[in-house]
């Protein structure tokens, strides 16, 4: 009797122990992957916020640069080189020439070893200071204007894919034909690139000429040079 009761006791105890253990389903590890997207969303949001902040910061920096560059580029400097280094031209004479004869009021005139730097804050004044008329005027006071390299590049084009019948002609013949067909295009010269017959370099006297040519092309020797064949010279600041 006591043995049965003892057995029942053990059975009861065993049953009680089994009932306290978790069921096979509950014994599986928690499905923690359900909670994983939550921190991912938080991290993604944080990353987006950080990226947005970075983009805003970059945009703000980008927006501040044009103001600085614009301020920096409002001054244009043209060198006036002495033709005869032993003759010095009076500054007041230079101011009179630029102001009265050329209608270009200079903001400053600084002296250097080879002559002077004429400084202006007007882009249109650059063409006036380096035109053929100006060259003749400055020559009378022993000075010669030197075109800055960036301005020279904006006045110069390359013509590519020329027909060999045109490319084999002399630079003088090509320049004369361009002047004949485009009287408004004040060409300075034609330069050939090595011994190539399919490409030439053509500088003009004014910046306002090249945009028109880039848009409409050129006529020469009974053919049309299309805008796709014309490229503006590039200048890289160092």
């Amino acid at each position: 009797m006591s043995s049965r009761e003892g057995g029942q006791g053990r059975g009861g105890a065993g049953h009680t122990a089994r009932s306290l253990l978790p069921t096979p389903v509950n014994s599986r590890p928690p499905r923690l992957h359900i909670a994983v997207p939550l921190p991912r969303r938080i991290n993604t949001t944080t990353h987006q916020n950080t990226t947005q902040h970075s983009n805003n910061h970059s945009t703000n920096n980008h927006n501040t640069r044009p103001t600085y560059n614009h301020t920096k580029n409002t001054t244009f400097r043209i060198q006036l080189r002495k033709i005869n280094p032993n003759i010095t031209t009076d500054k007041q004479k230079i101011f009179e020439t630029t102001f009265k004869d050329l209608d270009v009021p200079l903001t400053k005139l600084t002296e250097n070893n080879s002559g002077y730097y004429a400084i202006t804050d007007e882009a249109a004044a650059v063409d006036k200071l380096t035109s053929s008329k100006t060259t003749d005027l400055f020559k009378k006071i022993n000075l010669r204007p030197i075109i800055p390299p960036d301005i020279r590049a904006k006045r110069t084009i390359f013509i590519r894919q020329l027909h060999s019948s045109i490319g084999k002609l002399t630079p003088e013949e090509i320049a004369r034909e361009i002047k004949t067909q485009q009287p408004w295009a004040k060409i300075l010269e034609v330069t050939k690139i090595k011994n190539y017959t399919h490409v030439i370099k053509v500088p003009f006297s004014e910046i306002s000429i090249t945009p028109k040519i880039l848009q409409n092309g050129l006529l020469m020797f009974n053919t049309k040079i299309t805008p796709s064949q014309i490229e503006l010279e590039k200048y890289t600041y160092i």
Side-chain angles (χ1 to χ4, degrees), residues 13 15 29 56 73 86-87 91 108 111 114 127-128 160 185 197 216 223 228:
H15 178 71
N56 291 339
N73 291 335
N86 298 321
I87 300 176
K91 283 187 176 182
K108 194 175 182 181
E111 191 170 358
S114 59
D127 279 340
K128 291 183 179 180
R160 305 181 186 278
T197 59
N216 301 320
T223 63
S228 62

Side-chain angles (χ1 to χ4, degrees), residues 49-115:
N49 291 338
T50 303
T51 303
Q52 184 66 30
H53 174 72
S54 176
N55 291 338
N56 291 339
H57 181 68
S58 299
T59 302
N60 292 335
N61 288 342
H62 178 72
N63 290 335
T64 58
R65 288 172 186 161
T67 302
Y68 172 78
N69 289 338
H70 176 73
T71 303
K72 182 179 180 180
N73 291 335
T74 52
T75 298
F76 302 91
R77 187 175 68 172
I78 305 296
Q79 183 177 3
L80 304 177
R81 184 174 296 172
K82 295 178 182 178
I83 298 176
N84 185 340
N86 298 321
I87 300 176
T88 301
T89 303
D90 182 66
K91 283 187 176 182
Q92 191 59 39
K93 185 63 177 178
I94 300 174
F95 278 118
E96 291 178 1
T97 301
T98 57
F99 185 80
K100 294 181 179 180
D101 299 333
L102 301 174
D103 192 24
V104 177
L106 300 179
T107 59
K108 194 175 182 181
L109 188 66
T110 60
E111 191 170 358
N112 56 59
N113 293 332
S114 59

